[in-house]
Amino acid sequence: MASLGVNIDHIANIREARHTVEPDPVPMAMLAELGGADGITVHLREDRRHVQDRDVELLRQTVRSRLNLEMAATEEMMAVALRVQPDMVTLVPENRQEVTTEGGLDVVAQLSTLAAMVEKLHNSNIPVSLFVDPDATELEACRDSGARWVELHTGRYAEAEWKEQPYELARLNESTAIARQFGLRVNAGHGLNYQNVEPVAAIPGMEELNIGHTVVARAVAVGLQQAVREMKALIQNPRPSFLFGQTIG
């Protein structure tokens, strides 16, 4: 049964749109936990476009589930992680011009750099996950980096036309199996919503789904606690889907 990590970046996005003090993502994280979130995820970007250092520091003091810090693989972000000591670090690619993360890390090309960062974080007892596309070559490189977790990028599945979704779901299904064969634990996220999450939650071996935008959008109508409750119910009791079980031809 997959757990739910709630990404609260978009709470900070609303605040930064007016450069004011509200809404504050810190008490909102508490509401997400009250709604059943198994973890809180924040992405501290290098340009600080939404989440700020203060947010991460206060969340470290107040989150009672677990705090997952998404960050670029840079020395600046490494220093933040070592100071704050989150429960997990997820290394992600960053592009200053992107609206949101557009794809997975190129672990193959950056293996030596990422392996050094993984080792340093592990030496501080911080588990590391690498955000990657569902690709066997990348997953093999993740294993070689020393990381213990991967987070599969679900963007292509989430954005696919209905006739292409079975293929993209099959990629996620097979990549999860491959990752587990490599000894990696598997999370997933990006673009998942209330309409498409159940087939991904039903993948054998899937441990956690990190979901943000759709939960915050739903919270505008029903409140954050209720939005989290509704998403967690879908993840923990996914209905069988005609998409599931397809293989790549």
Side-chain angles (χ1 to χ4, degrees):
M1 182 183 297
S3 59
L4 172 62
V6 175
N7 187 312
I8 59 171
D9 292 350
H10 291 286
I11 301 294
N13 256 334
I14 298 170
R15 178 190 63 193
E16 296 304 314
R18 288 293 182 94
H19 300 290
T20 184
V21 297
E22 60 180 1
D24 189 331
V26 177
M28 292 298 176
M30 180 186 69
L31 290 176
E33 289 182 312
L34 289 172
D38 300 294
I40 300 297
T41 295
V42 287
H43 184 176
L44 183 66
R45 283 182 171 266
E46 291 184 282
D47 61 9
R48 306 304 198 271
R49 68 174 66 169
H50 41 57
V51 173
Q52 305 298 312
D53 294 69
R54 167 194 174 276
D55 300 325
V56 178
E57 291 160 4
L58 289 176
L59 287 166
R60 174 64 290 177
Q61 298 172 34
T62 56
V63 166
R64 291 294 175 261
S65 52
R66 57 179 178 269
L67 179 63
N68 173 27
L69 176 61
E70 294 183 342
M71 66 183 209
T74 66
E75 290 302 320
E76 178 197 5
M77 291 297 108
M78 173 71 78
V80 172
L82 294 175
R83 183 180 77 251
V84 174
Q85 293 285 304
D87 297 300
M88 174 179 281
V89 160
T90 300
L91 296 177
V92 301
E94 272 191 31
N95 176 350
R96 292 292 178 89
Q97 284 72 47
E98 67 189 359
V99 174
T100 185
T101 306
E102 295 174 343
L105 286 165
D106 188 346
V107 183
V108 174
Q110 304 175 70
L111 182 57
S112 60
T113 299
L114 291 171
M117 295 191 74
V118 168
E119 182 179 16
K120 195 169 184 178
L121 289 163
H122 281 176
N123 287 341
S124 293
N125 297 314
I126 303 173
V128 180
S129 178
L130 302 180
F131 185 74
V132 293
D133 293 321
D135 176 86
T137 303
E138 290 294 337
L139 293 170
E140 185 175 7
C142 290
R143 178 198 63 189
D144 295 343
S145 76
R148 298 168 190 164
W149 298 76
V150 294
E151 181 171 337
L152 297 179
H153 179 233
T154 55
R156 289 185 62 177
Y157 161 77
E159 295 167 8
E161 298 289 338
W162 68 269
K163 61 184 178 182
E164 298 296 331
Q165 276 195 333
Y167 173 79
E168 296 299 338
L169 183 63
R171 290 182 68 212
L172 293 168
N173 188 23
E174 293 180 18
S175 292
T176 300
I178 291 167
R180 288 174 61 83
Q181 289 173 2
F182 287 151
L184 296 164
R185 300 176 70 175
V186 184
N187 298 335
H190 195 84
L192 297 176
N193 58 43
Y194 292 89
Q195 288 72 46
N196 64 24
V197 71
E198 291 179 276
V200 179
I203 293 174
M206 185 63 67
E207 295 201 31
E208 181 169 281
L209 301 180
N210 283 305
I211 303 174
H213 184 268
T214 195
V215 173
V216 174
R218 177 68 176 153
V220 173
V222 301
L224 190 55
Q225 279 183 258
Q226 181 63 22
V228 171
R229 287 192 190 104
E230 291 173 4
M231 179 58 75
K232 190 165 181 179
L234 292 174
I235 288 173
Q236 294 199 330
N237 300 286
R239 295 170 296 178
S241 169
F242 74 94
L243 296 175
F244 191 66
Q246 300 281 343
T247 57
I248 300 173

